[in-house]
């Protein structure tokens, strides 16, 4: 969190805004002109009484100069008529009204949009002393053209009503990899039979060197694991289907297991993480896949590294009930990781730099 000095600066900034002084809120220059720090962190803009009702998204990022960029994107046919948001050091600093809802009138950043907008990006320079790694509390709200109000989804304290906040950690800017980035494969990709230069060929060529003792998922000590000793065994197992579950025994080169699709997704992620660590040419990034972080706000695995997600998934497969994750929930996280950088050609924004 912020130091006391930063808190006091935030307080002075808010006071100045209330006096109509020192308030900067502007449309950003072209993204091509900016050096953004990693991928955007995005959350849904939702109805607070029923968060399954979504009106669009809110995303946030920072640049190398210490500016925060917050972007509203509204789903048609609605448009945005006004926006209000604020940055604080902790939820306790967010001003509340008498019914314990955030006091929108005291938000430091407000804008009226006439004509109404489908997308809008605001820029706010953070005051000194700016610290890489500081965690911001952001509350963001939008008035919509049909009279509805949306709030950026995140965390709702027990004493709050009708609102959420989300956390954003200010990221260091690291140069992007020169020719691509990270790579993952779906379980279907790793399950292909070698043909041409497909993922199945890469698996055949690199499995033994990367997994000399075989690839194991689950917890062997709990007698709930699956071990694959050859690339052919992987080929015959993937893709796995069925309801996510736990492993019922120790399997050796199975073609199916009691864990359903979860076993297949964990095998696929284990392959990607292992190949990435063993082969510098697996992807063009110098950052390891295992060290990337889930940046999708509101996701069950938000804030966890890929390595931590994989560890939890193996514990769930092994029957460990202390993780707090169900087979279905952790399967969703592993699946999104596997789908995030397929063939090194896409980035779905689920992961970001640590």
């Amino acid at each position: 969190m912020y130091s006391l000095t930063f808190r006091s600066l935030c307080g002075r900034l808010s006071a100045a805004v209330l006096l109509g002084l020192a308030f900067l809120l502007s449309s950003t220059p072209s993204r091509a002109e900016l050096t953004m720090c990693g991928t955007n962190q995005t959350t849904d803009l939702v109805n607070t009484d029923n968060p399954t009702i979504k009106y669009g998204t809110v995303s946030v990022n920072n640049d190398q100069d210490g500016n925060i960029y917050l972007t509203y994107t509204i789903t048609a046919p609605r448009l945005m008529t006004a926006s209000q948001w604020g940055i604080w050091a902790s939820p306790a600093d967010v001003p509340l009204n008498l019914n314990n809802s955030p006091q929108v009138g005291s938000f430091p950043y407000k804008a009226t949009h006439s004509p109404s907008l489908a997308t809008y990006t605001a820029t706010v320079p953070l005051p000194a002393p700016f610290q890489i790694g500081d965690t911001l509390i952001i509350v963001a709200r939008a008035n919509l053209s049909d009279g509805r109000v949306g709030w950026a989804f995140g965390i709702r304290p027990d004493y709050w009503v009708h609102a959420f906040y989300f956390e954003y950690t200010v990221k260091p800017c690291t140069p992007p990899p020169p020719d691509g980035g990270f790579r993952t494969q779906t379980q279907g990709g790793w399950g292909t039979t070698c043909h041409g230069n497909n993922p199945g060929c890469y698996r055949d060529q690199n499995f033994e060197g990367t997994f000399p003792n075989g690839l194991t998922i689950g917890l062997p000590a709990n007698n709930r694991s699956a071990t694959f000793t050859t690339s052919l065994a992987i080929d015959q197992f993937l893709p796995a289907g069925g309801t996510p579950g736990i492993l019922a025994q120790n399997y050796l080169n199975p073609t199916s297991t009691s864990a359903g699709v979860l076993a297949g997704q964990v095998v696929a992620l284990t392959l990607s993480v292992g190949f990435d660590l063993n082969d510098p040419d697996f992807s063009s990034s110098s950052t390891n896949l295992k060290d990337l972080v889930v940046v999708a706000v509101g996701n069950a695995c938000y804030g966890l590294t890929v390595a931590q997600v994989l560890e939890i998934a193996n514990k769930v497969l092994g029957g460990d009930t202390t993780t707090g994750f169900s087979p279905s929930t952790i399967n969703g996280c592993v699946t999104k990781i596997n789908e995030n950088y397929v063939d090194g050609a896409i980035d779905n924004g689920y992961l970001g730099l640590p």
Side-chain angles (χ1 to χ4, degrees):
M1 289 298 178
Y2 290 107
S3 65
L4 179 61
T5 302
F6 187 79
R7 285 174 181 267
S8 64
L9 283 168
C10 284
R12 286 201 293 272
L13 180 63
S14 297
V17 170
L18 293 175
L19 292 173
L21 301 173
F23 176 29
L24 174 61
L25 188 64
S26 63
S27 297
T28 65
S30 166
R31 289 283 181 180
E33 301 172 12
L34 302 172
T35 301
M36 305 306 292
C37 300
T39 57
N40 288 350
Q41 178 179 309
T42 301
T43 186
D44 290 321
L45 189 71
V46 301
N47 180 305
T48 56
D49 295 324
N50 183 359
T52 63
I53 300 175
K54 301 176 182 180
Y55 304 133
T57 60
V58 173
S59 64
V60 62
N61 208 334
N62 61 274
D63 67 15
Q64 61 185 352
D65 297 321
N67 297 308
I68 291 292
Y69 298 86
L70 187 130
T71 299
Y72 291 86
T73 303
I74 309 302
T75 303
R78 296 183 179 92
L79 296 171
M80 182 168 64
T81 60
S83 56
Q84 312 88 22
W85 61 289
I87 298 173
W88 291 273
S90 76
D93 297 328
V94 180
L96 302 178
N97 57 28
L98 293 178
N99 68 354
N100 285 335
S101 290
Q103 193 172 58
V104 177
S106 297
F107 279 21
Y109 310 118
K110 299 183 284 289
T112 299
H113 308 296
S114 181
S116 303
L117 301 174
T119 184
Y120 173 72
T121 299
T123 308
V124 175
L126 289 176
F130 177 74
Q131 297 276 335
I132 297 296
D134 284 339
T135 296
L136 312 173
I137 298 300
I138 300 177
V139 182
R141 180 182 184 272
N143 297 86
L144 305 175
S145 54
D146 61 357
R148 298 174 186 267
V149 173
W151 293 79
F153 181 73
I155 302 165
R156 175 181 285 169
D158 292 340
Y159 58 92
W160 279 26
V161 294
H162 305 304
F164 302 96
Y165 73 83
F166 65 93
E167 296 179 340
Y168 176 74
T169 300
V170 181
K171 297 175 291 188
C173 276
T174 55
D179 57 348
F182 304 98
R183 175 182 173 187
T184 58
Q185 300 292 160
T186 64
Q187 58 160 333
W190 284 134
T192 55
T193 299
C194 177
H195 179 74
N197 194 32
N198 70 358
C201 293
Y202 183 93
R203 182 202 64 226
D204 287 349
Q205 295 161 8
N206 293 274
F207 182 84
E208 184 176 353
T210 304
F211 302 98
N213 299 314
L215 183 156
T216 297
I217 62 172
L219 298 176
N222 285 6
N223 294 317
R224 298 180 185 275
S225 68
T227 298
F228 303 87
T229 59
T230 65
S231 182
L232 177 60
I234 299 290
D235 186 4
Q236 293 174 337
F237 178 68
L238 295 180
T243 303
I246 65 174
L247 297 166
Q249 62 186 63
N250 285 332
Y251 296 87
L252 180 62
N253 294 328
T255 56
S256 65
T257 71
S258 59
V261 66
L262 176 58
Q265 296 292 359
V266 174
V267 167
L269 182 54
T270 304
L271 287 168
S272 296
V273 169
F275 292 145
D276 182 66
L277 290 172
N278 188 65
D279 178 10
D281 295 326
F282 178 72
S283 73
S284 60
S285 176
S286 60
T287 300
N288 291 322
L289 174 64
K290 71 180 183 67
D291 296 324
L292 296 182
V293 176
V294 176
V295 296
V297 176
N299 184 267
C301 292
Y302 172 67
L304 298 176
T305 66
V306 170
Q308 289 170 327
V309 172
L310 187 55
E311 179 183 10
I312 292 170
N314 278 303
K315 288 181 177 180
V316 172
L317 283 172
D320 186 335
T321 59
T322 66
T323 65
F325 286 82
S326 68
S328 178
T329 300
I330 197 64
N331 180 73
C333 297
V334 178
T335 300
K336 285 185 176 294
I337 293 173
N338 287 336
E339 294 174 347
N340 202 67
Y341 303 113
V342 175
D343 295 325
I346 64 171
D347 181 354
N348 289 331
Y350 183 72
L351 299 174
L353 293 171

